[in-house]
Amino acid sequence: MARWTNLSETTFLMRPTHPEADYSVRIFTPGGELPFAGHPTLGSCHAWVSASGVPINPDRFVQQCGVGLVSIRRDEGRLEFAAPPLIRSGPIDDIALAQIASALGLSVSDIVHHQWVDNGPGWCAVMLDSAEKVLSIKPNWVALSSFNLGVVGPYHAGCETAVEVRAFVGSEGCEDPVTGSLNASLAQWLIAAGLLRSPYIASQGTALQRAGRVYLRQSAGDIWVGGEVVDVIKGEISI
């Protein structure tokens, strides 16, 4: 089904097996299964509610997926999910960092901060000194093939968005327009390190002529990741 639709992610909603979960979801790309992703999380919750799903707790929804339980709630009309814990963190080693810099057409000195920010899809991330430098990147996909890489850089004070984000999926040789899982783990890193203040808005997709906006904030120790969810198409499949 995921290969047939050829969408970046296709989800399948099921009854949960965990007693605290409202529903369970499995997330597939055309090439395989993901333990977690941001767009499928918010979109699946929206679909579940639209199909008359009623949560156990009226204040939030609980999704069961490959990384465990993920909390989702509404804020100012948007759905937002609590970022799952990182399964890998810490600095990127010198050899990998040099490979990343070369693949982006940069020198290692252009990278002002770096970190593993893996919450399931394998993300690592580098921070540059400006959003403009992020937007100027023309990646060497062959050299990036072993990395799922996020690149982030700040906008000037007074801009609508705090940072520009780009997500390079090296294993597939493509750039993702907007990436909930990456923005979630970036916020965990950047806010904890004092590199960004909560709340902030991330811009993503500009290089692909998209105007993605991801809303991030810290609340009671959790990072919440929000965005707009709308119905685009509905249909039925006859088998």
Side-chain angles (χ1 to χ4, degrees), residues 38-177:
H39 278 72
T41 292
L42 297 188
S44 295
C45 182
H46 174 80
W48 183 78
V49 172
S50 298
S52 302
V54 178
I56 298 169
N57 184 332
D59 294 329
R60 67 179 59 196
F61 313 97
V62 178
Q63 170 182 289
Q64 181 182 354
C65 60
V67 294
L69 300 182
V70 177
S71 293
I72 305 160
R73 65 187 185 186
R74 292 193 184 277
D75 179 65
E76 298 182 356
R78 298 186 192 95
L79 286 173
E80 58 178 10
F81 66 86
L86 299 181
I87 61 176
R88 183 178 182 182
S89 59
I92 301 170
D93 68 78
D94 291 344
I95 294 175
L97 192 64
Q99 291 175 328
I100 289 169
S102 177
L104 299 179
L106 304 171
S107 66
V108 172
S109 62
D110 291 320
I111 297 172
V112 295
H113 301 285
H114 57 87
Q115 190 85 194
W116 280 97
V117 290
D118 184 10
N119 54 11
W123 295 114
C124 60
V126 297
M127 188 175 196
L128 309 184
D129 62 8
S130 71
E132 291 76 16
K133 188 168 287 186
V134 172
L135 290 171
S136 71
I137 289 172
K138 294 179 172 55
N140 178 334
W141 288 111
V142 174
L144 271 182
S145 62
S146 59
F147 298 98
N148 285 342
L149 176 67
V151 184
V152 59
Y155 277 103
H156 301 295
C159 290
E160 174 209 359
T161 55
V163 291
E164 183 70 30
V165 173
R166 295 181 71 178
F168 301 116
V169 185
S171 58
E172 297 181 14
C174 67
E175 181 172 356
D176 190 34

Side-chain angles (χ1 to χ4, degrees), residues 7-40:
L7 298 171
S8 57
E9 289 125 351
T10 302
T11 67
F12 299 85
L13 293 169
M14 301 171 292
R15 292 185 179 89
T17 58
H18 195 287
E20 296 178 18
D22 295 307
Y23 62 89
S24 176
V25 65
R26 294 183 68 180
I27 305 166
F28 289 85
T29 71
E33 186 170 5
L34 297 176
F36 174 75
H39 278 72

